[in-house]
């Protein structure tokens, strides 16, 4: 059997370096826990960026996948198959919408939403052909295609991949006024994450989403909610928009919709919106395949019980209370945490950069058996599977507290010895 180091070296030599993974090589997993090739166990506090909301190896999802694997896996959309109707109806009902357009990855679903919004703008709103624009937010993350990175404000994501696709207006996240000002006669949609995940789990000000909804309605502009990471139970509601009582015109879903088994994404909207797409105008060889629909239907079944949303809400309250107790400088009883944001089982923890980078904190957490991921320098994001036990969740926060204490002690040792 290869060792961790050998597997990492070979991976680095033979794959593009588009990621900078933590030095752990995972071999198996169950629930909220993963085991590496050396047999060491870790609590998964990333959950595949919320793709694993229902846990690793969720028995109901696995059973649906295994049954389907034996029977039928792919037809293409050239034919109907017997799992398609149930999946589309289930997902449309979960969203309170008329219909579904299934794709595979999140970025494909965002691309689909952009195409649908433009087409709707020309066919329904009456925008001059070629003139449609879409209002998007600073610090957004919607995926990695050339069009999507065209309106990213993250230089790593955007620079070097031009020319940029035109037709997007970038405004400050959290300011409804900025959206109102950016909208003109050619605006077809506002594309927004109800909570910005990759940006560091940024929750917009109270009332903001409701205002955005109002502005879109007043201006005959579609509100597109990218709920790829925030949706499907993570925040304690089925959708992050639910918390604000907001219903978008289009839901963009992905990640957890595939149950951690296969990529499944979708755009969900009413017939007046999705109906603008006619045969031949959009498609995907794999979108809506039988295996994806079987897994997606199992996921929808789990969400219908409300059990996962309730867990995220209850355990999220525990998580946030415990994390907030870490706020404050180490010499004043805190743990060097500057801010904690998020909702439900989803948190962005800003660590004082003077005690260490986010990467250093995550490496130290890994050595203590917790897998988490940093973002934007000094933010740690925590998003364990919603099946995590309260005991394990508390243990993970204990490890974070211990790591921060260790790091700030070594910082104060260094500053004492150098003074
Ligand atoms: C992950 C993510 C995407 C992109 O999904 P992929 O499956 O990686 O293409 C888009 N939007 C949001 C909010 C995401 O978190």
């Amino acid at each position: 059997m290869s060792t961790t180091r050998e597997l990492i070296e070979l991976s680095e030599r033979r794959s593009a370096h588009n990621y900078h993974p933590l030095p752990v090589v995972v071999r198996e997993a169950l629930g909220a826990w993963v085991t590496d090739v050396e047999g060491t166990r870790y609590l998964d506090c990333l959950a595949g960026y919320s793709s694993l909301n229902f846990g690793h190896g969720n028995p109901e999802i696995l059973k649906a996948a295994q049954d389907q694997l034996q029977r039928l896996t792919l037809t293409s959309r050239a034919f109907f198959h017997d799992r398609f109707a149930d999946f589309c109806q289930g997902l449309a009902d979960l969203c309170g919408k008329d219909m579904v357009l299934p794709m595979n990855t999140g970025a494909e679903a965002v691309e689909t939403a952009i195409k649908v919004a433009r087409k709707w703008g020309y066919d329904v709103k009456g925008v001059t052909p070629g003139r449609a624009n879409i209002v998007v937010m600073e610090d957004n993350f919607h995926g990695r295609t050339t069009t999507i990175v065209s309106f990213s404000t993250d230089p790593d994501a955007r620079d070097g991949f031009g020319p940029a696709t035109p037709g997007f207006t970038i405004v400050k996240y959290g300011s409804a006024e900025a959206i109102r000002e950016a909208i003109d006669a050619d605006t077809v949609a506002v594309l927004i994450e109800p909570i910005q995940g990759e940006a560091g789990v940024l929750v917009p000000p109270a009332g903001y989403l409701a205002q955005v909804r109002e502005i879109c309605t007043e201006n005959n502009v579609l509100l597109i909610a990218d709920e790829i990471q925030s949706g499907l139970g993570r925040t304690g509601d089925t959708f992050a928009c639910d918390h604000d009582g907001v219903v978008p015109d289009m839901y963009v879903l992905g990640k957890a919709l595939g149950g951690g088994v296969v990529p499944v994404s979708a755009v969900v909207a009413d017939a007046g919106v999705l109906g603008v797409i006619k045969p031949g105008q959009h498609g995907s060889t794999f979108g809506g395949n039988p295996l994806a629909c079987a897994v997606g239907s199992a996921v929808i079944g789990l969400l219908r019980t409300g059990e996962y949303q309730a867990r995220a809400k209850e355990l999220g309250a525990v998580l946030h209370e415990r994390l907030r107790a870490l706020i404050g400088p180490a010499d004043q009883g805190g743990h060097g945490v500057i801010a904690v944001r998020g909702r439900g089982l989803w948190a962005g923890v800003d660590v004082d950069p003077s005690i260490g980078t986010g990467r250093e904190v995550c490496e130290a957490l890994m050595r203590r058996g917790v897998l988490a991921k940093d973002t934007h320098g000094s933010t740690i994001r925590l998003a364990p599977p919603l099946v995590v036990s309260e005991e394990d969740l508390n243990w993970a926060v204990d490890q974070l507290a211990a790591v921060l204490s260790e790091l700030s002690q070594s910082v104060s040792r260094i500053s004492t010895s150098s003074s």
Side-chain angles (χ1 to χ4, degrees), residues 92-160:
D93 287 350
L94 189 76
C95 297
K97 296 289 185 193
D98 293 339
M99 50 173 72
V100 168
L101 199 166
M103 297 294 284
N104 310 283
T105 65
E108 284 177 307
V110 172
E111 287 276 351
T112 301
I114 291 167
K115 286 178 71 176
V116 169
R118 286 179 171 182
K119 192 84 170 43
W120 173 88
Y122 301 130
D123 293 1
V124 179
K125 184 167 173 171
V127 170
T128 310
R131 296 285 301 270
N133 73 66
I134 296 175
V135 177
V136 298
M137 305 303 137
E138 270 176 23
D139 298 324
N140 69 73
F141 183 84
H142 297 291
R144 301 295 195 167
T145 65
T146 41
T147 285
I148 291 170
V149 301
S150 293
F151 58 84
S152 172
T153 56
D154 175 355
D156 282 341
R158 184 198 61 219
D159 292 356

Side-chain angles (χ1 to χ4, degrees), residues 83 93 101 108 137 157 220 229 253 295 335 341 361 387 395 416:
R83 304 307 307 258
D93 287 350
L101 199 166
E108 284 177 307
M137 305 303 137
N220 193 26
Q229 196 167 157
L253 304 174
V295 167
H335 280 76
R341 293 174 303 271
V361 173
V387 299
W395 176 81
T416 312

Side-chain angles (χ1 to χ4, degrees), residues 19 48-49 51 104-110 140-145 148 193 195-198 226-230 252 254-255 263 265 346 381:
Y19 281 89
Y49 302 87
S51 300
N104 310 283
T105 65
E108 284 177 307
V110 172
N140 69 73
F141 183 84
H142 297 291
R144 301 295 195 167
T145 65
I148 291 170
E193 296 159 85
I195 292 178
Q196 287 189 324
E198 298 308 293
D226 181 345
E227 292 252 19
I228 290 170
Q229 196 167 157
S230 59
V252 187
K255 293 204 166 99
S265 70
W346 200 16
R381 76 172 110 204

Side-chain angles (χ1 to χ4, degrees), residues 45-365:
C45 285
L46 182 63
Y49 302 87
S50 289
S51 300
L52 288 151
N53 281 1
F54 311 98
H56 293 271
N58 181 292
E60 278 157 90
I61 295 172
L62 277 195
K63 183 170 190 316
Q66 276 156 350
D67 289 352
Q68 194 59 42
L69 271 175
Q70 306 297 322
R71 221 152 43 75
L72 177 72
T73 52
L74 194 66
T75 55
S76 86
R77 293 287 307 279
F79 317 120
F80 289 95
H81 63 76
D82 70 339
R83 304 307 307 258
F84 191 71
D86 187 52
F87 169 69
C88 293
Q89 181 172 21
L91 188 57
D93 287 350
L94 189 76
C95 297
K97 296 289 185 193
D98 293 339
M99 50 173 72
V100 168
L101 199 166
M103 297 294 284
N104 310 283
T105 65
E108 284 177 307
V110 172
E111 287 276 351
T112 301
I114 291 167
K115 286 178 71 176
V116 169
R118 286 179 171 182
K119 192 84 170 43
W120 173 88
Y122 301 130
D123 293 1
V124 179
K125 184 167 173 171
V127 170
T128 310
R131 296 285 301 270
N133 73 66
I134 296 175
V135 177
V136 298
M137 305 303 137
E138 270 176 23
D139 298 324
N140 69 73
F141 183 84
H142 297 291
R144 301 295 195 167
T145 65
T146 41
T147 285
I148 291 170
V149 301
S150 293
F151 58 84
S152 172
T153 56
D154 175 355
D156 282 341
R158 184 198 61 219
D159 292 356
F161 303 113
T165 305
F168 299 94
T169 309
I170 302 167
V171 304
K172 197 171 148 56
Y173 187 64
S175 164
E177 244 358 89
I179 294 176
R180 196 192 294 281
E181 280 165 26
I183 289 176
D184 62 25
D186 297 327
T187 304
V188 296
V190 171
L191 169 61
I192 195 166
E193 296 159 85
I195 292 178
Q196 287 189 324
E198 298 308 293
V201 197
L202 301 187
V203 181
Y208 168 71
L209 288 176
Q211 273 177 288
V212 176
R213 173 67 276 179
E214 234 177 78
I215 292 167
C216 288
T217 305
E218 277 167 20
N219 291 279
N220 193 26
V221 162
L222 299 175
L223 176 57
I224 307 172
D226 181 345
E227 292 252 19
I228 290 170
Q229 196 167 157
S230 59
L232 309 183
R234 174 56 56 189
T235 62
D237 287 295
T238 305
F239 302 107
C241 283
D242 295 348
H243 184 268
D244 296 89
V246 163
V247 180
D249 299 293
M250 270 194 260
Y251 287 100
V252 187
L253 304 174
K255 293 204 166 99
L257 192 56
V261 177
V262 281
V264 184
S265 70
V267 168
V268 190
D270 280 336
V273 176
L274 269 183
V276 300
I277 299 289
K278 300 286 186 280
Q281 295 175 347
H282 191 57
S284 161
T285 304
F286 293 100
N289 71 71
L291 183 59
C293 288
V295 167
S297 293
V299 165
I300 293 158
L302 295 177
L303 284 168
R304 261 197 217 113
T305 67
E307 198 184 303
Y308 290 85
Q309 295 91 322
R311 277 192 80 79
K313 192 164 277 175
E314 285 158 26
L315 293 178
V318 173
L319 176 67
H320 284 276
E321 189 187 319
R322 293 252 3 236
L323 289 174
R324 274 196 302 272
L326 306 180
I327 294 176
D331 56 7
Q332 288 169 32
H335 280 76
V337 167
I338 292 172
V340 177
R341 293 174 303 271
R343 184 169 293 143
L345 268 179
W346 200 16
V349 181
D350 290 345
V351 174
D352 181 348
S354 74
I355 69 170
T357 63
R359 175 78 185 190
E360 285 165 341
V361 173
C362 288
E363 284 172 356
L365 278 172

